Amino acid sequence: MRSLYDLHAEGGDEAKVAEQFTHQWHAGNWHAAEDHWEQLVVKVLQAKRLEMYSAEIALREAEMHIQNFAESTLPVPGSRCPLCVTSS
């Protein structure tokens, strides 16, 4: 699984998502952001529709799904990490 650190190192849109995911949703706490990133990717990996793929492809699909979700949700004013919302 690519970590937020990995995404950040890739630059471009991936880095932007990693930074926003960390700073907007987790107040700059990279550890908490990384933990929630991993949990979200694992939740998507458990989806029935990914069962038909190899493990490597399913993992990339799950990561891309969460990245796309973050890209579309982070710009929304007042949006919050879905895991932070459920734990508060």
Side-chain angles (χ1 to χ4, degrees):
M1 175 184 309
R2 292 183 304 166
S3 68
L4 284 178
Y5 301 108
D6 294 337
L7 291 176
H8 191 263
E10 288 180 24
D13 289 338
E14 287 82 1
K16 184 177 177 183
V17 167
E19 288 176 18
Q20 289 178 320
F21 192 92
T22 302
H23 294 288
Q24 282 181 236
W25 280 356
H26 298 94
N29 183 336
W30 280 89
H31 180 72
E34 183 66 44
D35 181 52
H36 286 185
W37 171 264
E38 290 174 7
Q39 287 183 52
L40 289 169
V41 171
V42 167
K43 285 183 184 294
V44 172
L45 270 174
Q46 295 169 346
K48 281 269 191 211
R49 71 174 199 87
L50 294 180
E51 288 179 349
M52 68 179 111
Y53 297 112
S54 70
E56 184 177 339
I57 292 172
L59 180 58
R60 295 296 165 241
E61 287 288 319
E63 290 171 351
M64 186 58 67
H65 180 76
I66 296 303
Q67 185 175 340
N68 289 339
F69 168 77
E71 285 176 337
S72 64
T73 307
L74 281 161
V76 176
S79 69
R80 293 180 56 205
C81 168
L83 294 178
C84 292
V85 170
T86 59
S87 67
S88 52

